[in-house]
Amino acid sequence: KEGRKVRLPTEEEWEKAARGADGRSFPWGNGFDPTFARMRRSTPGTPLPSAVGSFPVDRSVYGCWDMGGGMREWTSSLLDEGQMVLRGGTWGDDTDDLRSASRSGLQPEFRYSFVSFRLATESPLPVR
């Protein structure tokens, strides 16, 4: 749509975007509060997804939204044979899963309501 090539980020790119250069535990820093990101204990009741940007604290130093909670995201990196690396925590996860270093794997043909993707590009947005 914008004339730029896009792709899934590598696991290393995803982690750098989430942790920043200082290696923070969560995209927003090292402290934790369940209201900082969409997770199991963010709000009362049954955990459900939220719109992107609904939790303003869940933003990395690079301006990337929802890297702690919300949806687990595909990367282009392999975990084990047949499994791709997933990064990030979900709307149904607990604290440890929201850490920027948290990772898991999934076979690419599987689909779940808590798995999504984020795109990376080397091309800046065109000046308008």
Side-chain angles (χ1 to χ4, degrees):
K1 180 179 176 182
E2 295 176 349
R4 301 185 299 159
K5 290 187 178 190
V6 294
R7 60 179 172 74
L8 291 174
T10 65
E11 177 178 17
E12 295 80 12
E13 289 171 327
W14 191 100
E15 187 166 341
K16 175 73 182 277
R19 295 187 88 162
D22 58 359
R24 51 193 54 212
S25 298
F26 301 95
W28 54 83
N30 292 319
F32 182 80
D33 183 294
T35 64
F36 287 177
R38 185 69 187 119
M39 62 165 307
R40 179 185 312 271
R41 297 184 299 128
S42 298
T43 56
T46 303
L48 295 169
S50 296
V52 172
S54 296
F55 290 79
V57 175
D58 191 2
R59 190 170 181 194
S60 77
V61 295
Y62 296 110
C64 299
W65 291 97
D66 304 325
M67 295 192 86
M71 303 292 274
R72 194 156 290 148
E73 298 173 356
W74 291 105
T75 71
S76 62
S77 302
L78 289 172
L79 180 67
D80 290 317
E81 189 171 323
Q83 289 193 338
M84 303 301 290
V85 174
L86 299 175
R87 298 301 298 261
T90 77
W91 44 269
D93 281 340
D94 290 315
T95 309
D96 284 347
D97 297 315
L98 273 64
R99 290 177 33 258
S100 297
S102 178
R103 64 197 295 257
S104 60
L106 186 66
Q107 295 170 328
E109 61 271 13
F110 289 176
R111 302 292 180 260
Y112 292 104
S113 61
F114 56 83
V115 177
S116 187
F117 62 93
R118 170 181 311 264
L119 297 174
T121 184
E122 278 81 35
S123 304
L125 283 170
V127 177
R128 296 180 197 236

